[in-house]
Amino acid sequence: MTTTSPVAKPGNNARIKTIMIILGVAIPVVVAILHFFSKSFHIAGAQVKFLPTVNAVLNSLTAVCLVLGYYFIRQKQVLKHRAMMGTAFLLGALFLVSYVVYHSQVESTKFGGQGLIRTVYYFILISHILLAAVTVGLVLFTLYYALTEQFAKHRGIARWTFPIWLYVSVTGVIVYFMISPYYT
């Protein structure tokens, strides 16, 4: 007798995929709205100045889990791979909540660097932002294919998700260190 994941029940797949597509689009849109209209969500007295450091730590830990997850799957240690990727997903979710809370309370910090470093900073930042928006949907579908035991599809999309998600995690930390001298 074979058992299937509750996610893999017949009839659920189309509904779940639709939800993932909606989330994959809605989450980056909500983040953009909070970025551009942060004053609309401001709560007087909210203490969030520590959150950029928390976000950098969460991004760092996510990157470590991603690399370990990749290592474990290459070693055919599936349970360790699942543990690392599940942890990376949870850390990413915590990061997203922390990021949204921070940016709903604080206006964006302006980068003060000049010359070449300014160009480097904005290249990293813009590529980070664009790929972060794509990462949400990629991660959701990669997770979905794993949970529904569609491993060929999981491997196919993971080939794209892993390097993009890792890039987003690492560049998030780099952006933090580059902008942190300008926090007020």
Side-chain angles (χ1 to χ4, degrees), residues 10-11 27 38 68 94 122 124 132 165:
I27 290 171
S38 61
L68 287 172
L94 286 172
Y122 280 107
I124 293 170
W165 192 5

Side-chain angles (χ1 to χ4, degrees), residues 41-127:
F41 302 96
H42 185 72
I43 299 170
Q47 300 297 316
V48 297
K49 294 210 182 254
F50 66 97
L51 289 179
T53 304
V54 169
N55 292 341
V57 169
L58 290 170
N59 267 328
S60 298
L61 293 173
T62 299
V64 169
C65 288
L66 290 171
V67 169
L68 287 172
Y70 179 78
Y71 170 79
F72 288 135
I73 202 60
R74 301 301 292 170
Q75 300 300 312
K76 309 241 187 285
Q77 296 178 23
V78 175
L79 292 178
K80 289 180 180 179
H81 168 75
R82 282 184 193 162
M84 288 298 101
M85 300 316 280
T87 302
F89 181 80
L90 291 174
L91 290 167
L94 286 172
F95 163 81
L96 189 57
V97 169
S98 177
Y99 181 88
V100 166
V101 167
Y102 178 76
H103 284 283
S104 70
Q105 300 304 306
V106 178
E107 288 188 45
S108 291
T109 301
K110 304 289 185 234
F111 183 72
Q114 299 297 320
L116 180 61
I117 195 68
R118 186 175 187 81
T119 303
V120 169
Y121 171 77
Y122 280 107
F123 174 80
I124 293 170
L125 178 65
I126 291 167
S127 64

Side-chain angles (χ1 to χ4, degrees), residues 103-175:
H103 284 283
S104 70
Q105 300 304 306
V106 178
E107 288 188 45
S108 291
T109 301
K110 304 289 185 234
F111 183 72
Q114 299 297 320
L116 180 61
I117 195 68
R118 186 175 187 81
T119 303
V120 169
Y121 171 77
Y122 280 107
F123 174 80
I124 293 170
L125 178 65
I126 291 167
S127 64
H128 169 81
I129 290 168
L130 293 174
L131 290 173
V134 172
T135 302
V136 174
L138 286 173
V139 168
L140 289 173
F141 274 93
T142 305
L143 179 64
Y144 169 78
Y145 290 135
L147 291 175
T148 57
E149 300 176 0
Q150 297 178 60
F151 296 121
K153 288 182 179 181
H154 172 76
R155 278 189 299 277
I157 195 170
R159 291 182 205 285
W160 292 94
T161 305
F162 170 73
I164 294 171
W165 192 5
L166 184 60
Y167 178 85
V168 167
S169 296
V170 171
T171 56
V173 177
I174 292 169
V175 165

